[in-house]
């Protein structure tokens, strides 16, 4: 893929830049936020946007801009680590299934069924009960949800690649299953994985919001966009602004990631495009 | 080949289904056994004497060895006995059935709405590909996916229940009492659930159609003088149904468990919330029963999708799905 | 599957149908946040049980009224012996349980034998420990013998834990409660609602309401919407943060009253550094009570300086014992050997007041160098860690038992306060029946624990009910847990 290709696909450009901007906003919060987010001052709560607080203050008098920055980071990190778990376990499963086939493929498919059979939310409930709610809980739940998704995508993409002549040639040349999987299958499904990764990233951000909403995700004093939305939910009729800010941030981040994903997909090799892309269902 | 092969495939798939369920049951059991928190202490609260807690533990049968409890559970389930809930003192199977009467119709409503809205949107967008309609529909779909459904649910309630007073804010009236009222109560949560699903479906449908239009047989059809829309309608839609079927399977499986957040917003007694409350009350018999029921529904849905696939798509018969 | 067209038509038809049906003027729908796990108040501690059944389905020998005073219940009258060890109750005659079986002294004996039995699963068994015997004198007279005088005995008889149950139905009360109260259980749609109906043959005055439905709505935003849309007629305890929606709205009335819930920053007195009085004093000075009350209860909590309900006649105002003073707090910490503060954990149960107060206290303590790590736990986990295993540094919890200062005389209690003086004072208090003496003793204990800064005393939880403006007769205060339907009625 070249920069020329990117210019041909303006939506990709817009999506990537917007998503990167939000990610950057979150990253900055690691070093600097306008105010520390742990600092509570009830006396200055529920301010609308003003000079000292560009986005106003929340129900504990914390600076909303600082919270949005920090919350965006948490949401991204949770979703990204969830994707990493999915890629780290799902992709090897999918590749191995294609490279070895037979009993191993059966096993991989059943394993993938097994992980899929546990809905993310139930995993989250169980883990929260075991180890307490928190970001880790959300990461694992989202990660478990991602494993079968990536296993299926990797297998679908690799199946298409495996029928190509160069793979057959490599096999004739005496390359083992492992080498075939790593040297020939993996590089050829990379773009497929990147696209799926973008989709799962946006789903992960929504999932984090949902988990935080029912109290299983991020816990105070840390914050996430989902937690901010949850805190503001009951105040919606009195201070709608508190809910609009994190709500719209989630909507924008997710749209940016989806547009970027769609753009990447359109810019991709059309031969691969038809195969295997799984659209997560939630 | 043909019939024997298909039979073999079905057999293997069923075996896989059974193994998945057994392993899932084992995992659920082990996880729950590790849970901290004493169910008896939870019921009796902070001022209970240790003797009262011990008496209740004994009544609840919490002190039997693990393997006895596990195989007792599996054996019971095979005969349809899921055990007795420790907090509610009722058969778990009855409690699950009660909740299924909410979750299944709710998921179905969400599915029907998302199909009724999503598929036409996708087809229309594909037919008008590159035009303003396409862009508008896809922007709509992008937004639909991106709105957290609990937020959307609350906005729906504010509009339709609080301001217009057309529909109830939530709650579930049993079907045998007043089916009309039951259905009215499920409309808003159904819509909240359907929005992202419809958006996903619209995008999948559009993509599938666009891909198919680029394939040879559509080109042939167009060469024969069909317009693009006609070609899509006659040949494309049928062929695009396969990827759509997969997505529908995934969505249904997702909805069965994923309704919990929306159930919370609309105070509906669904299966997801049953698990949620049962685990906080440490009603482990109920948790494991309800969880395995969920796993059963998801696995069964995937099985049906795979088998349908195998029947419909000859290419897949060579490999497992 | 239904065709798309017919579904659309059906939807359209439903939309046109008029909105929410208005409740009959003798029915009520009450929204409550928590669903009870079962409906037997004698076999569980959950407040949600009492909210549905207390004084509605089940009654005790006596009943607690709105002011917390003891009134005749199933017993018309009683007499107490000179030494305070024998209570003789004269029962009201002709009472039947909802299943038609009759009520008499045997049921009373059965109830208390069951409560005190070896295998009893009553959550408050300890409260009734002084009872040494219950004997039936005749079908309408029953006598209780106590092993020691107990000033709270009558009050405890009026609690939900001591309601009278029948031997025929006791075992199934959890799912199908059968009592003697003015309302009979009709149905429980789990996860959704409980329906009660007026019990025609009730022995006392019939209540105005003929039907009551409890709807379980845990989400505050949803509860707000349900109230606004008229889907529920009221709730006994609404989240204070959203009360502003209803204040000043003529269609609703907001009832702010007191509860018995002393909300405290419980401190593990066994554990260093909290075993050092100076550290506890420093923490008390570091707390800004008003900010916590404003932030966590939106100003509805009442500040307390000791473990006692401010509306109780024995209450002593000790709020000023350790005023908010950061310099003093730092000095005390330095004196105790922690000039730079220390780190500790704060375990929080899943209730809004605890979670919010926890965040605010962490921020306040940070100013004197005490770094708190917040650990949010669910109930089961919290009970196990804090109550059973005493594995905690600090926690926040509301103690909702009325007159529960006696917990400071129990060194095995979870916060581990061991003071022989308090233990002796409490023993004298238990054995004293003279009001003035009791007051003096209770106040002395209040002072000792306040000065010892055993726990951080934060606020008395308020009860904030939101009701339809046309409803009357609701309890403003909550001297015991429950939503008593007896006097609730619609006014035009």
């Amino acid at each position: 893929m070249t920069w020329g290709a990117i210019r041909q696909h303006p939506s990709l450009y817009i999506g990537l830049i917007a998503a990167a901007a939000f990610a950057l906003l979150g990253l900055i919060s690691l070093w600097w936020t306008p105010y520390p987010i742990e600092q509570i001052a009830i006396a200055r709560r529920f301010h609308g946007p003003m000079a000292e607080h560009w986005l106003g203050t929340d129900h504990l008098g914390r600076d909303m801009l600082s919270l949005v920055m920090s919350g965006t980071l948490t949401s991204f990190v949770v979703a990204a680590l969830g994707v990493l778990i999915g890629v780290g376990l799902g992709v090897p499963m999918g590749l191995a299934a294609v490279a070895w086939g037979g009993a191993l493929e059966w096993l991989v498919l059943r394993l993938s069924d097994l992980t899929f059979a546990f809905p993310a939310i139930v995993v989250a409930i169980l883990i929260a009960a075991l180890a307490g709610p928190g970001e880790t809980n959300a990461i694992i739940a989202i990660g478990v949800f991602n494993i079968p998704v990536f296993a299926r995508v990797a297998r679908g993409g690799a199946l298409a690649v495996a029928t190509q002549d160069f793979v057959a040639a490599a096999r004739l040349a005496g390359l083992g299953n492992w080498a075939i999987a790593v040297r020939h299958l993996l590089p050829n499904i990379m773009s497929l994985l990147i696209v799926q990764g973008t989709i799962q990233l946006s789903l992960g951000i929504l999932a984090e919001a949902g988990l935080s909403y029912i109290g299983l995700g991020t816990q105070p004093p840390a914050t996430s966009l989902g937690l901010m939305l949850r805190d503001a939910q009951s105040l919606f009729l009195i201070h709608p602004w508190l809910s609009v800010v994190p709500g719209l941030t989630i909507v924008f981040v997710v749209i940016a990631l989806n547009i970027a994903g769609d753009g990447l997909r359109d810019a991709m090799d059309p031969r691969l495009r038809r195969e295997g892309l799984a659209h997560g269902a939630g | 080949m043909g019939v024997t092969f298909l039979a073999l495939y079905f057999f293997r798939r069923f075996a896989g289904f059974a193994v998945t369920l057994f392993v899932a049951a084992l995992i659920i059991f082990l996880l729950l056994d590790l849970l901290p928190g004493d169910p008896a202490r939870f019921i009796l609260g902070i001022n209970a004497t240790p003797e009262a807690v011990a008496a209740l533990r004994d009544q609840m049968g919490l002190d039997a060895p693990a393997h006895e409890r596990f195989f007792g559970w599996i054996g019971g389930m095979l005969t349809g006995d899921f055990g007795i809930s420790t907090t509610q003192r009722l058969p778990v199977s009855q409690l699950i059935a009660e909740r299924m009467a909410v979750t299944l119709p709710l998921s179905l409503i969400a599915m029907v709405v998302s199909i009724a809205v999503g598929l036409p949107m996708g087809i229309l967008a594909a037919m008008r590909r590159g035009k303003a309609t396409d862009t508008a529909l896809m922007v709509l779909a992008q937004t639909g996916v991106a709105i957290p459904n609990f937020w959307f649910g609350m906005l729906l309630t504010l509009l339709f229940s609080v301001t217009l007073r057309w529909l109830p804010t939530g709650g579930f009236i049993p079907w045998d009492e007043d089916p009309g009222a039951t259905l009215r109560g499920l409309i808003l949560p159904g819509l909240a659930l359907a929005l992202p699903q419809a958006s996903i479906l619209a995008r999948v449908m559009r993509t599938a159609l666009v891909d198919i239009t680029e394939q040879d047989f559509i080109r042939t059809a167009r060469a024969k003088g069909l317009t693009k829309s006609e070609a899509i309608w006659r040949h494309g839609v049928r062929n695009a149904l396969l990827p759509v079927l997969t997505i529908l399977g995934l969505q249904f499986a997702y909805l069965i468990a994923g309704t919990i957040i929306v159930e919370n917003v609309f105070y509906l007694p669904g299966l997801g919330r049953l698990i949620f409350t049962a685990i906080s009350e440490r009603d482990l018999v109920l948790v494991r029963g309800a969880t395995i029921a969920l796993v059963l529904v998801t696995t069964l849905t995937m099985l049906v999708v795979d088998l349908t696939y195998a029947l419909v798509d000859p290419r897949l018969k060579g490999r497992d799905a | 599957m239904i065709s798309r067209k017919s579904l659309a038509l059906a939807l359209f038809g439903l939309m046109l149908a008029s909105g929410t049906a208005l409740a009959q003027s003798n029915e009520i729908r009450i929204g409550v946040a928590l669903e009870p796990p079962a409906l037997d108040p004698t076999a569980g501690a959950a407040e949600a049980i009492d909210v549905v059944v207390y004084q509605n389905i089940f009654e005790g020998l006596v009943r607690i009224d709105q002011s917390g005073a003891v009134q005749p219940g199933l017993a018309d009258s009683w007499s107490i012996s000179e030494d305070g060890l024998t209570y003789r109750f004269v029962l009201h005659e002709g009472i039947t349980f909802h299943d038609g079986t009759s009520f008499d002294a045997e049921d009373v004996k059965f109830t208390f034998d069951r409560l005190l039995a070896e295998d009893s699963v009553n959550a408050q068994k300890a409260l009734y420990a002084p009872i040494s015997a219950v004997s039936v004198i005749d079908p309408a007279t029953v006598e209780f013998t106590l092993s020691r005088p107990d000033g709270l005995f009558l009050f405890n008889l009026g609690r939900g834990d001591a309601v009278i149950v029948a031997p025929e139905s006791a075992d199934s009360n959890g799912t199908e409660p059968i009592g003697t109260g003015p309302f009979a259980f009709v149905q429980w749609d789990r996860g959704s609602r409980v329906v009660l109906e007026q019990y025609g043959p009730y022995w006392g005055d019939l209540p105005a309401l003929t039907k009551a439905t409890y709807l379980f709505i845990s989400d505050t935003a949803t509860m707000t919407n349900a109230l606004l849309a008229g889907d529920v007629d009221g709730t006994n305890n609404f989240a204070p943060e959203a009360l502003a929606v209803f204040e000043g709205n003529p269609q609703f009335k907001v009832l702010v009253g007191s509860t018995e819930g002393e909300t405290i920053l419980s401190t593990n007195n066994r554990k260093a550094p909290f075993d050092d009085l100076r550290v506890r004093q420093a923490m008390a000075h570091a707390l800004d009570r008003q900010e916590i009350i404003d932030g966590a209860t939106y100003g509805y909590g009442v500040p307390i300086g000791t473990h006692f309900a401010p509306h109780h006649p024995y209450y002593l105002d000790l709020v000023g014992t350790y005023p908010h003073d950061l310099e003093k707090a730092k000095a005390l910490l330095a004196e105790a050997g922690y000039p730079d503060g220390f780190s500790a954990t704060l375990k929080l149960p899943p209730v809004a007041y605890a979670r919010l107060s926890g965040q605010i206290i962490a921020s306040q303590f940070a100013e004197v160098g005490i770094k708190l790590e917040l650990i949010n736990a669910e109930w089961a986990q919290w009970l196990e860690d804090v109550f059973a295993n005493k594995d905690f540094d600090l926690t926040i919890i509301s103690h909702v038992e009325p007159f529960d200062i006696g917990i400071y005389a129990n060194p095995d209690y979870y916060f581990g306060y061991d003071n022989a003086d308090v233990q002796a004072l409490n023993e004298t208090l238990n054995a004293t029946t003279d009001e003035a003496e009791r007051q003096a003793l209770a106040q002395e204990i209040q002072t000792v624990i306040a000065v010892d800064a055993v726990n951080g005393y934060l606020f008395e939880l308020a009860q904030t009910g939101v009701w339809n403006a046309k409803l009357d007769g609701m309890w403003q205060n909550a001297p015991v847990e429950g939503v008593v339907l007896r006097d609730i009625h619609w006014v035009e």
Side-chain angles (χ1 to χ4, degrees):
Chain A
M1 198 187 310
T2 63
W3 283 103
I6 290 177
R7 244 176 257 120
Q8 279 178 356
H9 302 277
S11 70
L12 170 62
Y13 205 59
I14 298 169
L16 276 183
I17 289 186
F22 277 111
L24 190 69
L25 191 71
L27 276 178
I28 293 174
S29 78
L30 277 179
W31 292 279
W32 178 83
T33 49
Y35 293 83
I37 63 159
E38 300 84 14
Q39 197 184 321
I40 288 167
I42 302 300
R44 59 153 204 251
R45 69 177 161 188
F46 298 136
H47 280 303
M50 58 199 270
E52 299 98 271
H53 301 283
W54 287 3
L55 292 179
T57 57
D58 80 339
H59 63 296
L60 293 173
R62 297 173 298 180
D63 179 56
M64 284 288 280
L65 179 59
S66 309
L67 287 170
V68 167
M69 288 172 68
S70 179
T72 306
L73 180 70
T74 315
S75 295
F76 261 103
V77 167
V78 168
L81 290 178
V83 169
L84 212 63
I85 293 179
V87 171
L89 294 174
V91 172
M93 278 167 65
L95 289 180
V98 174
W100 272 269
L104 188 72
E105 183 168 31
W106 185 87
L107 189 69
V108 163
L109 286 167
R110 296 295 74 80
L111 258 175
S112 140
D113 275 359
L114 184 67
T115 33
F116 184 78
F118 283 93
I121 208 113
V122 173
V123 174
I125 294 172
L126 286 175
I127 301 174
L130 264 177
E135 288 104 329
T136 323
N137 177 34
I139 292 168
I140 297 176
I142 296 170
V144 170
F145 172 77
N146 281 338
I147 294 172
V149 172
F150 281 100
R152 277 171 186 254
V153 170
R155 178 170 168 269
L159 273 179
V161 179
T163 58
Q164 309 259 321
D165 294 341
F166 66 90
V167 178
R171 223 176 257 286
L172 282 178
L175 248 64
N177 288 333
W178 213 195
I180 295 220
V182 176
R183 278 195 226 157
H184 294 288
L185 300 183
L186 184 61
N188 281 294
I189 59 164
M190 245 355 200
S191 41
L192 203 59
L193 294 177
I194 293 174
V195 174
Q196 191 67 44
T198 328
I199 297 173
Q200 296 311 118
L201 196 59
S202 77
L203 286 177
I205 286 175
L206 281 173
E208 194 282 332
L211 290 175
S212 290
Y213 170 73
I214 50 173
L216 299 176
T218 311
Q219 301 292 319
T223 193
S224 75
L225 295 173
L227 186 61
M228 289 179 72
L229 198 51
R230 167 203 161 97
D231 284 346
Q233 181 102 335
S234 55
L235 297 163
F236 187 79
L237 293 172
I238 313 164
H239 305 287
W241 176 250
L242 292 186
S243 148
V244 168
V245 171
L248 284 187
T249 312
I250 293 178
V251 172
F252 288 148
V253 171
V254 172
I255 290 182
L257 283 169
N258 280 340
I259 290 180
D262 284 1
L264 276 172
R265 192 174 177 284
D266 288 346
M268 243 170 55
D269 182 354
R271 178 170 48 85
L272 284 173
R273 180 181 346 147
R274 274 195 294 276
E275 309 292 340
L277 258 199
H279 296 252
Chain B
M1 107 139 234
V3 177
T4 13
F5 187 85
L6 208 58
L8 187 68
Y9 172 77
F10 272 41
F11 174 75
R12 278 171 57 184
R13 200 59 192 74
F14 271 113
F17 171 71
V19 172
T20 307
L21 275 184
F22 182 80
V23 177
L26 188 63
I27 294 177
I28 293 168
F29 185 84
L30 289 178
L31 272 179
L32 291 182
D33 236 37
L34 293 175
L35 278 192
D38 184 344
R41 166 66 67 175
F42 177 84
I43 293 172
L44 297 179
I46 60 180
N47 284 7
T49 58
E51 299 85 68
V53 174
L56 188 59
R57 276 189 71 84
D58 192 45
Q59 266 186 29
M60 290 160 73
L62 286 170
D63 296 321
H67 63 274
E68 263 176 41
R69 282 180 291 126
F70 178 68
F71 286 106
W73 177 47
I74 298 282
M77 280 200 296
L78 290 177
T79 59
D81 173 15
F82 280 63
I84 305 288
S85 148
T86 52
T87 48
Q88 308 192 9
R89 311 286 166 93
L90 285 172
V92 169
S93 48
Q94 179 197 332
L95 294 171
I96 295 174
E98 282 173 13
R99 300 306 179 102
M100 280 289 185
V102 181
T103 298
L104 279 181
L106 180 58
S107 306
L108 278 177
I109 288 177
M111 288 287 285
V112 170
V113 173
S114 86
I115 292 171
V117 175
L119 289 192
M121 265 176 77
I123 296 172
L124 193 64
M127 284 177 170
R128 303 267 188 279
R129 189 183 173 195
K131 306 230 174 69
T133 322
D134 181 22
T135 317
L137 285 174
M138 284 305 108
V139 167
L140 207 64
Q142 289 282 17
T143 320
V145 177
I147 300 180
N149 57 10
F150 58 94
W151 205 42
F152 183 62
M154 191 193 59
L155 297 177
L156 281 178
T157 320
L158 280 176
L159 178 62
F160 291 105
S161 311
V162 175
T163 313
L164 296 170
R165 298 215 172 190
W166 285 357
L167 293 164
T169 48
F172 182 76
I173 314 252
W175 288 99
D176 51 12
E177 199 166 300
D178 181 357
T182 317
L183 205 56
R184 278 161 48 89
L186 293 180
I187 292 175
L188 290 185
L191 284 180
L193 280 171
L195 175 82
Q197 308 304 335
S199 306
I200 291 171
L201 219 49
R203 291 176 59 190
V204 172
M205 190 68 191
R206 177 185 177 275
T207 313
L209 284 176
V210 166
D211 279 357
I212 286 164
T213 1
E214 282 163 10
Q215 281 176 20
D216 296 339
F217 68 95
I218 297 277
R219 293 214 182 98
T220 319
R222 291 206 60 191
K224 284 185 190 159
L226 290 176
T227 66
K228 191 163 129 197
S229 301
E230 280 170 341
I232 288 182
W233 192 245
R234 286 206 197 157
H235 301 280
V237 173
R238 235 190 55 207
N239 284 289
L241 284 180
L242 215 54
V244 167
L245 181 73
T246 317
I247 295 295
L248 285 179
L250 284 170
Q251 290 192 335
F252 188 72
Y254 164 78
L255 279 174
I256 292 290
T259 51
I260 176 173
I261 292 170
V262 164
E263 282 165 15
N264 223 34
V265 175
F266 292 95
Y267 52 108
L268 294 168
L271 196 57
R273 258 180 82 201
L274 178 70
I275 297 182
F276 195 66
T277 31
I279 204 150
S280 69
E281 290 169 354
R282 288 294 182 275
D283 188 341
L284 303 185
V285 180
L286 182 52
V287 175
R288 66 189 189 198
T291 313
I292 200 77
L294 260 185
V295 169
L296 179 72
V297 176
T298 9
T299 324
L300 206 57
T301 313
M302 294 322 288
L303 180 71
V304 169
V305 169
D306 281 354
L307 295 185
T308 323
Y309 230 106
L311 287 174
V312 176
D313 187 354
R315 278 178 309 173
L316 270 171
K317 285 177 192 161
R319 295 187 89 101
D320 277 329
Chain C
M1 201 173 287
I2 319 161
S3 84
R4 199 192 310 157
K5 196 171 165 192
S6 64
L7 184 86
L9 276 175
L11 284 176
F12 187 61
L14 287 169
M15 298 271 192
L16 284 184
S18 71
T20 37
L22 288 172
Q24 297 296 309
S25 62
N26 45 9
E27 296 182 4
I28 191 171
R29 289 158 306 172
I30 298 174
V32 290
L34 290 176
E35 176 169 19
L39 292 173
D40 184 353
T42 65
E47 180 189 356
I49 301 174
D50 284 326
V51 165
V52 175
V53 306
Y54 179 68
Q55 288 197 29
N56 300 328
I57 296 179
F58 290 108
E59 297 172 305
L61 287 178
V62 300
R63 61 184 187 85
I64 311 299
D65 70 8
Q66 206 186 150
S67 68
V70 175
Q71 303 290 348
L74 292 170
D76 283 330
S77 63
W78 54 87
S79 54
I80 309 170
S81 66
E82 273 301 300
D83 57 5
L85 291 177
T86 311
Y87 285 68
R88 182 179 279 230
F89 293 89
V90 179
L91 308 180
H92 192 96
E93 288 184 71
I95 297 176
T96 55
F97 283 93
H98 300 148
D99 61 356
T101 57
S102 63
F103 158 83
D104 61 29
E106 288 297 339
D107 295 303
V108 178
K109 181 168 170 52
F110 168 78
T111 297
F112 285 92
D113 285 349
R114 174 171 172 262
L115 195 163
L116 296 166
E118 191 92 350
D119 61 350
S120 159
V121 294
N122 194 296
Q124 308 292 347
K125 191 177 171 185
L127 288 181
Y128 306 96
I131 302 176
S132 58
V134 181
S135 38
V136 175
I137 307 295
D138 63 56
T141 317
V142 66
E143 194 174 88
F144 285 71
T145 316
L146 305 192
S147 54
R148 61 171 166 84
D150 179 358
L152 288 173
F153 181 63
L154 281 175
F155 185 92
N156 288 339
L157 284 187
R159 299 172 51 113
D161 308 278
V163 296
I164 304 302
V165 297
E168 296 86 357
S169 48
D171 287 337
S172 54
N173 275 341
T175 49
E176 214 171 314
I178 305 247
T180 56
F183 289 89
F185 170 80
V186 178
Q187 79 188 90
W188 179 6
D189 299 324
R190 281 170 188 75
S192 176
R193 59 178 188 170
V194 168
V195 182
L196 310 185
E197 247 165 22
Q198 193 189 68
Y199 176 57
Y202 180 60
W203 60 275
D205 295 334
L206 278 180
L209 296 173
T210 55
K211 185 179 171 189
T213 306
Y214 289 84
L215 293 158
F216 308 117
I217 307 176
S218 56
D219 187 284
T220 302
T222 308
M223 182 80 88
T224 312
N225 293 340
L227 282 161
L228 286 174
D231 287 346
V232 298
D233 302 312
T235 179
N236 70 314
N237 215 351
F238 186 73
E241 75 251 33
L243 271 180
V245 174
F246 301 101
E247 282 164 341
N249 182 336
Q251 288 178 303
F252 296 94
K253 59 170 76 164
V254 174
L255 291 184
V256 180
S258 60
T259 72
E260 297 299 317
E262 292 84 33
T263 310
I264 61 175
L265 174 67
S266 289
T267 309
N268 194 340
N269 280 250
R270 296 176 193 82
K271 213 172 157 182
F274 311 108
D275 54 354
D276 188 324
L277 173 63
R278 291 164 299 188
V279 170
R280 297 198 304 269
Q281 287 171 326
M283 296 197 305
H285 278 302
L287 288 174
D288 180 349
R289 218 177 252 118
Q290 198 52 49
E291 187 179 45
I292 298 167
I293 291 172
D294 287 344
T297 73
Y298 287 73
Y300 287 101
V302 179
I304 53 171
T306 184
H307 197 107
F308 223 81
H311 51 266
H312 196 283
Y314 296 178
Y315 175 72
L316 200 60
D317 187 353
L318 294 161
V319 172
T321 313
Y322 297 107
H324 181 52
D325 185 339
L326 296 182
E327 288 318 308
K328 219 169 198 169
K330 282 181 198 158
L332 280 161
L333 278 177
E335 208 181 300
Y338 302 96
D340 304 318
F342 55 88
S343 296
T345 58
L346 175 54
K347 278 203 174 124
L348 300 170
V351 277
Y353 68 78
R355 297 278 165 94
L356 282 169
S357 304
Q359 271 182 278
I360 299 167
I361 289 174
S363 170
Q364 292 176 354
F365 276 13
E367 291 181 54
V368 295
I370 304 174
K371 290 164 283 295
L372 292 185
E373 184 199 342
L374 302 183
I375 300 175
N376 292 336
E378 35 161 6
W379 274 121
Q381 173 93 58
W382 184 88
L383 282 169
E384 169 128 333
D385 286 359
V386 176
F387 258 83
N389 300 335
K390 293 145 182 132
D391 171 22
F392 74 107
D393 293 341
L394 298 166
T395 184
I396 296 172
I397 183 69
S398 213
H399 282 257
V400 294
E401 300 302 323
F403 208 100
D404 55 356
I405 201 164
I407 57 181
Y408 287 80
N410 176 3
D412 294 328
Y413 204 55
Y414 77 104
F415 49 71
Y417 177 60
D418 192 353
N419 181 332
D421 294 343
V422 169
Q423 286 153 27
L425 282 167
N426 189 60
E427 206 160 312
T428 325
L429 174 66
N430 277 338
T432 309
T433 43
D434 180 78
E435 277 296 308
E437 277 177 56
R438 283 180 61 82
Q439 171 157 6
L441 286 161
Q443 294 193 338
E444 197 173 341
I445 301 179
Q446 288 179 51
T447 313
V448 176
I449 61 170
V451 173
D452 260 358
V454 181
N455 296 307
Y457 300 103
L458 306 176
F459 54 85
E460 190 78 8
L461 217 52
Q463 165 159 287
T464 45
V466 173
W467 301 89
N468 187 306
K470 289 181 183 153
L471 275 173
D472 227 338
M474 292 76 66
W475 282 18
Q476 182 154 7
N477 301 321
V480 278
E481 294 164 345
V483 173
V484 178
L485 299 170
R486 181 184 299 271
D487 298 324
I488 300 182
H489 59 275
W490 290 92
V491 286
E492 278 313 318

